[in-house]
Amino acid sequence: VLIQDTGRHTIRGGIHYMVKVEGSGAYTCTLTFTLDGATRSVSETMNATYTHAERSVISSFLLLGSNFTKRCLVFVPGAGEHVVDVIWLDKNKDMFDSEPSDRIYTSALTQDEPKGEWLELLLNFSELRQEDFYLNYTCRVFNSQGNSERYFTLLPTDPNIILPIGLVFGGVTVLFVISVTVYYIFRIDIVLCFRRAFPNFSLLDLDGKLYDAYVAYPNPGAFGFSEEVEKFALQTLPEVLEQACGYKLFIAGRDCLPGQAIVDSVDENLQASRRVLLLYTASTFIKKSNSYSCRIFQCPQQRGSNGVLSSQVILVELEEITPAQLALFPESVRHLRKKQGAVCWWKSLRTRQKWRTWREDEERRGKDSQVSPSLSPSSRFWKEIRYHMPVRGKRAAYPEKTALLNL
């Protein structure tokens, strides 16, 4: 007989009644017996606490295709054999099988201890699929007195945005570095290709200029004059830039009007030109007192310092300049050369010399020769010149100049 102190609940004859929350308290077991004609009794009291088995949700973040195992661990107190079952149920309350061949199966394990027994039942997923997520998987423990449940829900892994963002940022950075590198190496070819693709992409027709470039070089009688420089200015430049590329040049010594003062011609035609091609050698700027050299070469730089031709001067270096020779150049020329560099004809001559040797060998074999690479508009030197030159387009002429030339 088990009697609560309050006298409200009694358990008799091995029949067990479900205890509710209000049944918590002290319970006394009393044994009454007769010994030698005397009635005696023995009792023992214990405290019972009611614990409500609430459900809980365990969320696990997993990836599709991965395996997963969830453990249901139950402790049954007391010595002796217990009749307690542990099962896993799906959303339809159907029990999972224990066959390892199934994609979802269970495996059991028990462990005895002096104070009770541990029951362990594993729910194994050999491969997670989309239909496994957002469902309740229930672990039920039951015996003849009742049951208790816990369940968990599988949730897919949250998208890891850090990795995609890092990949995108890294890809953009690599692409930017590659683009800058490619543009730095092939910028001349890219610009020239763009000009060929969009030949009318220019507003030069509206600037009122007559010439694409003013060619400045030491004329005969001036300090630093060279027949090679004169030949380059009067033959090579017109052959490539005017005849092959369609530019219009003003070349001092070729296009000056008869009787016109040199100073007036320089000033007028510099203003009528979009660029200045400055041809020089190592001896061009050595003698600073030469008046003609000052007018032809230093005027463009002096004008540049006043903002007229600062970004329009193209330095054309006809022979290799040593550091000692460069130190004797005017400061404005050194500054311009350092800032934007010079287009070096002497490098093209080296290539031309190699080509000439190859051409002579080909002619000996009876093969036709082609145009020298140094005179081809597609050679490196002329590409650099064309890169600095203005975009070609329809050219407007001054009516006064045209009328004067027709006299």
Side-chain angles (χ1 to χ4, degrees), residues 298-309:
Q298 297 182 22
C299 280
Q301 278 70 44
Q302 292 171 358
R303 294 176 184 271
S305 63
N306 296 328
V308 179
L309 298 170

Side-chain angles (χ1 to χ4, degrees), residues 12-263:
R12 299 177 182 275
I15 302 176
H16 304 277
Y17 299 93
M18 296 300 297
V19 180
K20 298 182 179 181
V21 64
E22 58 270 17
S24 298
Y27 288 82
T28 302
C29 179
T30 301
L31 175 63
T32 302
F33 60 93
T34 300
L35 181 62
D36 297 332
T39 302
R40 300 286 187 272
S41 64
V42 179
S43 63
E44 183 178 357
T45 302
M46 68 176 183
N47 292 319
T49 302
Y50 175 82
T51 302
H52 179 63
E54 298 180 351
R55 294 185 176 183
S56 62
V57 178
I58 302 175
S59 300
S60 301
F61 297 93
L62 300 165
L63 293 173
L64 286 174
S66 63
N67 54 52
F68 176 73
T69 300
K70 189 64 179 177
R71 182 178 67 169
C72 182
L73 186 62
V74 179
F75 180 72
V76 182
E81 184 176 354
H82 303 280
V83 183
V84 177
D85 290 325
V86 183
I87 59 174
W88 278 105
L89 305 175
D90 60 12
K91 62 178 181 178
N92 299 321
K93 300 301 179 180
D94 294 331
M95 187 173 61
F96 288 103
D97 294 331
S98 58
E99 293 293 334
S101 59
D102 295 340
R103 187 175 64 87
I104 305 176
Y105 63 96
T106 61
S107 56
L109 179 66
T110 60
Q111 182 178 356
D112 295 330
E113 290 188 3
K115 295 183 179 181
E117 182 180 14
W118 287 100
L119 304 179
E120 181 180 16
L121 187 65
L122 301 178
L123 181 63
N124 306 292
F125 295 80
S126 60
E127 180 185 2
L128 286 175
R129 298 178 182 175
Q130 187 63 43
E131 60 267 21
D132 299 330
F133 295 112
Y134 304 106
L135 301 179
N136 293 336
Y137 299 91
T138 304
C139 177
R140 176 178 293 176
V141 181
F142 63 94
N143 60 7
S144 58
Q145 298 184 23
N147 63 76
S148 178
E149 294 181 351
R150 293 288 188 275
Y151 70 90
F152 73 95
T153 303
L154 288 177
L155 299 178
T157 302
D158 288 338
N160 186 4
I161 62 174
I162 297 179
L163 180 60
I165 290 177
L167 292 176
V168 171
F169 180 77
V172 171
T173 302
V174 172
L175 182 61
F176 175 77
V177 172
I178 293 176
S179 301
V180 171
T181 304
V182 170
Y183 178 77
Y184 179 79
I185 297 175
F186 301 102
R187 65 185 185 280
I188 295 178
D189 299 274
I190 293 174
V191 171
L192 295 179
C193 181
F194 181 82
R195 292 179 182 178
R196 287 195 301 268
F198 303 96
N200 296 325
F201 189 75
S202 174
L203 299 176
L204 294 179
D205 298 342
L206 306 178
D207 63 2
K209 302 291 186 179
L210 179 62
Y211 302 104
D212 291 311
Y214 180 99
V215 180
Y217 70 99
N219 284 350
F223 182 82
F225 170 76
S226 170
E227 293 183 357
E228 291 295 329
V229 176
E230 183 181 37
K231 181 180 178 181
F232 180 84
L234 298 179
Q235 297 183 15
T236 306
L237 279 178
E239 180 179 348
V240 178
L241 294 184
E242 290 187 331
Q243 298 177 16
C245 300
Y247 290 108
K248 189 173 183 180
L249 307 177
F250 180 90
I251 303 177
R254 185 194 72 170
D255 300 323
C256 292
L257 296 177
Q260 186 180 21
I262 294 179
V263 175

